[in-house]
C-alpha cells in the first residue's frame, strides 16, 4: 500500500525508499498523511470550487436568457407592459426596437464618410465612440403613448377594478 501511494509520477517516485531506515515508520506515516491531506482533500476542494463556478455561470446565463425573453433589449421595459394588447411585446421588439435595425444604423454610420453625416448622425456616432448610450430610448416606447395602448390599459384596469367580474364581462360593460 505504501509503495502504491508514493507512485504516480510525482516526487514520491524519485525519493529514496525508507526500507531499513531508522525513521521508516514516521516517514511512512508522514507520507500517507501528506497523501490524504494534499492529494485527496485539497483536490476535492479545488474540484468543488470549479463546480460552484460553473454553477454560477449557468445561473447567470439563465438570468440573461430570462431577461432576453421578458424585457426589451433597447428600452428595458418588461413584457407585461406591452402584452395588454395582442402580440404587444412581440410587435414591439420586431417593429419598434428591433435590435438588427440599431446594428444596421451603427454600421451605416461607421461606414459613411464623416463629412456627410447629419447632426443627428454625428451625435449618435460621437456618443458611440465615447461609450455613452444615453441616446437609447431607455424606459420609453412609442407604443406606450399611443391611443390604442391607453384604451387597452383602460379596459384592462376596468376589468381588474370591478369586483366579481371577469375580463370578458368588464370589457362588455366598458363598451356599453
Amino acid at each position: 500500500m505504501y509503495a502504491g501511494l508514493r507512485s504516480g509520477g510525482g516526487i514520491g517516485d524519485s525519493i529514496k525508499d525508507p526500507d531499513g531506515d531508522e525513521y521508516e515508520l514516521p516517514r511512512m506515516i508522514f507520507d500517507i498523511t501528506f497523501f490524504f491531506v494534499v492529494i485527496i482533500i485539497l483536490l476535492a476542494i479545488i474540484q468543488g470550487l470549479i463546480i460552484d463556478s460553473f454553477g454560477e455561470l449557468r445561473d447567470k446565463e439563465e438570468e440573461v436568457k430570462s431577461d432576453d425573453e421578458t424585457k426589451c433589449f433597447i428600452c428595458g421595459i418588461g413584457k407585461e407592459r406591452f402584452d395588454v394588447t395582442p402580440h404587444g411585446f412581440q410587435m414591439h421588439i420586431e417593429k419598434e426596437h428591433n435590435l438588427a435595425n440599431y446594428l444596421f444604423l451603427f454600421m451605416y454610420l461607421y461606414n459613411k464618410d464623416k463629412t456627410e453625416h447629419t447632426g443627428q448622425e454625428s451625435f449618435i456616432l460621437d456618443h458611440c465612440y465615447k461609450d455613452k448610450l444615453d441616446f437609447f430610448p431607455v424606459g420609453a416606447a412609442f407604443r406606450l403613448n399611443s391611443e390604442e395602448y391607453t384604451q387597452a390599459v383602460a379596459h384592462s384596469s376596468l376589468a381588474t377594478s370591478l369586483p366579481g367580474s371577469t375580463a370578458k364581462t368588464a370589457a362588455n360593460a366598458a363598451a356599453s
Side-chain angles (χ1 to χ4, degrees):
M1 179 176 139
Y2 174 71
L5 292 178
R6 284 187 329 138
S7 64
I11 195 168
D13 290 339
S14 59
I15 61 175
K16 185 180 170 193
D17 195 14
D19 286 339
D21 192 3
E22 61 185 274
Y23 299 110
E24 179 177 2
L25 184 61
R27 165 87 185 279
M28 289 175 64
I29 292 172
F30 175 77
D31 287 347
I32 291 172
T33 305
F34 180 83
F35 171 77
F36 282 114
V37 169
V38 172
I39 304 299
I40 293 179
I41 295 174
L42 289 180
L43 191 61
I45 291 171
I46 291 171
Q47 287 175 342
L49 290 173
I50 291 171
I51 291 170
D52 285 346
S53 298
F54 280 116
E56 288 176 16
L57 287 174
R58 183 181 60 245
D59 292 342
K60 287 180 183 177
E61 182 182 350
E62 288 174 3
E63 183 179 337
V64 168
K65 186 176 180 182
S66 172
D67 279 353
D68 285 347
E69 294 171 355
T70 60
K71 287 184 182 176
C72 174
F73 183 79
I74 303 298
C75 67
I77 298 175
K79 183 177 184 176
E80 64 279 351
R81 294 245 342 248
F82 294 105
D83 278 346
V84 293
T85 60
H87 307 290
F89 182 70
Q90 195 64 30
M91 291 296 290
H92 172 73
I93 60 174
E94 287 177 1
K95 301 292 183 194
E96 285 184 20
H97 289 164
N98 190 339
L99 186 59
N101 290 341
Y102 281 87
L103 180 63
F104 292 146
L105 171 68
F106 295 140
M107 291 308 298
Y108 168 76
L109 294 177
Y110 180 75
N111 290 324
K112 187 176 179 181
D113 188 29
K114 290 185 179 189
T115 59
E116 296 179 9
H117 285 163
T118 65
Q120 292 173 335
E121 292 172 343
S122 297
F123 174 80
I124 291 173
L125 194 60
D126 289 342
H127 275 66
C128 285
Y129 285 137
K130 295 176 184 175
D131 288 333
K132 291 183 180 180
L133 301 177
D134 56 351
F135 61 89
F136 274 97
V138 177
F142 288 124
R143 180 177 293 260
L144 297 179
N145 298 329
S146 71
E147 184 177 328
E148 173 190 332
Y149 180 80
T150 49
Q151 286 177 355
V153 170
H155 287 299
S156 68
S157 64
L158 178 63
T160 57
S161 67
L162 293 175
S165 65
T166 63
K168 189 174 184 180
T169 58
N172 291 339
S176 58

